[in-house]
């Protein structure tokens, strides 16, 4: 298979391992391509008709790249497998079918706010000062009310309201009133999916049977709530899970990502974990320089003698 044959010896190490694995990858190491090859290898010998592989990422760009890599090799993702974002996985298999159990709403929950829609504060009956900001509030891992993003205040010259001027009690009251009507944001979905799995062991065990193998690309961008969901699945029998990423490439800390959780998993599963530290797109000079910004212990090496002949030109502009 071309997808696998083009891997380096370093990348092929992942094909020979199962269990709980963290794959740390330096920039330019081809981690998403390696994930694609691992998925292709698993599918080639997969014989279960009801349980599949869930391959997840944090952006549509990343999972579509995996899909493109497989399609070019005439491998197509179909039932019982799933390929998509971690949010879409949580929505489809946990929150939307079971959200009513924790929201106490009468119908299937409805996702609102970005990225699903623009929140219309006139939705539902009544109106108060906090309702327009429903999509800006959610919950931390302990259930405390938390602000996500900016809250615009038309009465403030700065354009944004001061969080300290908001009553958390009133914000929580507004939040709960609309949750009971079935409205939820993506952050709500993640939080309540965690609660669903915590409170309903049979759902967690069923999800593990449905997806006995999970691969998560860009795992440095997991939040504590999302990592808690992963831990619950492990506690309920998930034996094969691969977390792929790089602490230094975390880009969603503004949205509650905690790359230190990824690092902790690398320490916890160190006996079966791997590092990709061969850069396939930069010169050795660049690798030497960027190591000063890296948390990897050793300097990345290059995969091609052609790259070693490149002399980078640095220009400083005023």
């Amino acid at each position: 298979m071309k997808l696998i044959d083009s891997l380096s010896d370093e990348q092929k190490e992942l094909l020979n391992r199962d269990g709980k694995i963290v794959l740390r990858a330096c920039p330019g190491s081809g981690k998403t391509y390696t994930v694609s090859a691992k998925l292709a290898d698993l599918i080639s010998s997969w014989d279960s008709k009801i349980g599949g592989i869930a391959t997840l990422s944090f952006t549509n760009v990343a999972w579509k790249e995996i899909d493109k890599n497989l399609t070019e090799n005439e491998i197509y993702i179909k039932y019982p497998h799933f390929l998509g974002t971690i949010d879409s996985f949580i929505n489809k298999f946990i929150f939307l079918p079971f959200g009513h159990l924790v929201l106490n709403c009468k119908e299937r929950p409805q996702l609102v706010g970005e990225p699903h829609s623009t929140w219309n504060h006139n939705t539902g009956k009544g109106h108060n000062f906090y309702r327009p900001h429903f999509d800006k509030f959610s919950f931390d891992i302990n259930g405390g009310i938390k602000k996500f993003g900016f809250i615009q205040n038309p009465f403030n010259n700065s354009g944004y309201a001061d969080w300290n001027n908001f009553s958390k009690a009133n914000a929580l009251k507004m939040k709960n009133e609309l949750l009971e009507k079935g409205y939820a944001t993506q952050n709500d979905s993640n939080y309540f999916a965690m609660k669903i799995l915590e409170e309903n062991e049979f759902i967690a065990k069923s999800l593990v049977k449905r997806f006995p193998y999970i691969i998560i690309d860009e795992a440095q961008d997991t939040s504590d709530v999302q990592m808690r969901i992963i831990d619950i699945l492990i506690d309920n029998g998930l034996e094969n899970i691969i977390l792929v990423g790089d602490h230094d490439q975390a880009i969603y800390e503004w949205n509650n990502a905690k790359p230190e959780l990824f690092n902790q998993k690398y320490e916890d599963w160190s006996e079966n974990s791997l590092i990709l530290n061969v850069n396939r797109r930069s010169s050795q000079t660049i690798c030497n320089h960027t190591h000063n910004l890296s948390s990897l212990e050793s300097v990345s090496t290059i995969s091609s003698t052609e790259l070693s002949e490149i002399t980078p030109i640095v220009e400083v502009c005023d």
Side-chain angles (χ1 to χ4, degrees):
M1 186 187 302
K2 181 180 179 182
L3 188 61
I4 294 175
D5 293 342
S6 61
L7 295 178
S8 67
D9 291 341
E10 184 186 51
Q11 292 171 314
K12 287 180 180 177
E13 277 293 310
L14 184 62
L15 303 186
N16 302 321
R17 301 194 187 193
D18 294 304
K20 300 179 184 69
I21 302 170
V22 170
L23 179 65
R24 293 180 65 190
C26 74
S29 60
K31 67 180 179 64
T32 301
Y33 193 87
T34 306
V35 168
S36 304
K38 177 65 175 180
L39 178 56
D41 187 54
L42 288 171
I43 290 176
S44 67
S45 59
W46 198 264
D47 58 5
S48 175
K49 302 297 183 182
I50 57 174
I53 307 159
T55 306
L56 314 175
S57 189
F58 279 79
T59 62
N60 289 321
V61 171
W63 76 256
K64 287 179 180 179
E65 181 180 346
I66 295 171
D67 187 53
K68 179 176 179 290
N69 289 337
L70 268 64
T71 300
E72 289 176 349
N73 286 268
E74 298 183 348
I75 301 171
Y76 305 97
I77 301 297
K78 55 186 178 181
Y79 185 90
H81 309 301
F82 177 84
L83 174 62
T85 64
I86 189 169
D87 284 341
S88 64
F89 177 82
I90 289 171
N91 295 340
K92 182 174 183 178
F93 297 105
I94 309 174
F95 178 67
L96 290 177
F98 302 111
H100 64 283
L101 298 176
V102 290
L103 298 187
N104 298 316
C105 53
K106 297 180 180 179
E107 299 178 352
R108 181 184 175 93
Q110 177 182 340
L111 289 167
V112 298
E114 297 297 335
H116 306 285
S117 64
T118 299
W119 167 244
N120 180 0
H121 64 79
N122 292 316
T123 301
K125 296 180 179 179
H127 173 78
N128 62 43
F129 180 73
Y130 293 87
R131 187 180 293 266
H133 310 301
F134 172 76
D135 59 328
K136 301 298 190 298
F137 292 98
S138 191
F139 304 91
D140 62 29
I141 195 169
N142 298 312
I145 193 71
K146 182 176 180 179
K147 181 173 69 70
F148 290 80
F150 291 112
I151 297 177
Q152 191 167 10
N153 180 0
F155 304 106
N156 186 321
N157 291 333
S158 68
Y160 299 103
D162 183 354
W163 168 239
N164 295 322
N165 291 331
F166 281 78
S167 163
K168 291 186 179 181
N170 288 339
L172 180 61
K173 179 180 178 181
M174 171 276 299
K175 192 74 180 177
N176 287 332
E177 286 176 352
L178 289 171
L179 287 169
E180 288 181 4
K181 296 179 184 295
Y183 301 112
T185 67
Q186 186 59 59
N187 286 318
D188 296 335
S189 174
N190 293 338
Y191 171 75
F192 285 108
M194 178 190 74
K195 300 301 292 183
I196 289 166
L197 296 182
E198 285 180 339
E199 298 172 7
N200 300 274
E201 185 179 279
F202 75 95
I203 295 177
K205 290 186 179 299
S206 296
L207 191 58
V208 170
K209 288 183 178 180
R210 177 67 180 83
F211 294 105
Y213 211 120
I214 296 179
I215 304 172
I216 303 179
D217 192 14
E218 300 176 331
Q220 75 276 353
D221 285 319
T222 49
S223 67
D224 51 0
V225 169
Q226 291 166 331
M227 192 63 82
R228 174 62 183 147
I229 290 173
I230 293 168
D231 286 336
I232 294 171
L233 296 179
I234 292 172
D235 291 341
N236 283 276
L238 179 64
E239 296 180 352
N240 293 300
I241 177 166
I242 303 174
L243 304 180
V244 183
D246 174 20
H247 172 278
D248 302 321
Q249 297 182 62
I251 60 174
Y252 285 104
E253 290 178 88
W254 60 271
N255 196 30
N256 234 28
K258 295 190 174 181
E260 63 269 20
L261 299 175
F262 174 78
N263 287 354
Q264 186 59 56
K265 282 290 187 285
Y266 179 79
E267 296 297 327
D268 294 344
W269 304 343
S270 59
E271 291 184 1
N272 201 31
S273 294
L274 297 165
I275 292 178
L276 293 184
N277 204 23
V278 176
N279 192 309
R280 304 166 70 91
R281 66 176 180 229
S282 300
S283 70
Q284 191 61 56
T285 302
I286 291 176
C287 291
N288 294 342
H289 178 73
T290 57
H291 179 63
N292 297 319
L293 306 174
S294 172
S295 61
L296 292 173
E297 293 182 1
S298 58
V299 177
S300 300
T301 57
I302 60 174
S303 64
S304 170
T305 56
E306 294 178 359
L307 291 175
S308 65
E309 299 171 359
I310 298 175
T311 301
I313 299 175
V314 179
E315 294 183 3
V316 179
C317 300
D318 294 331

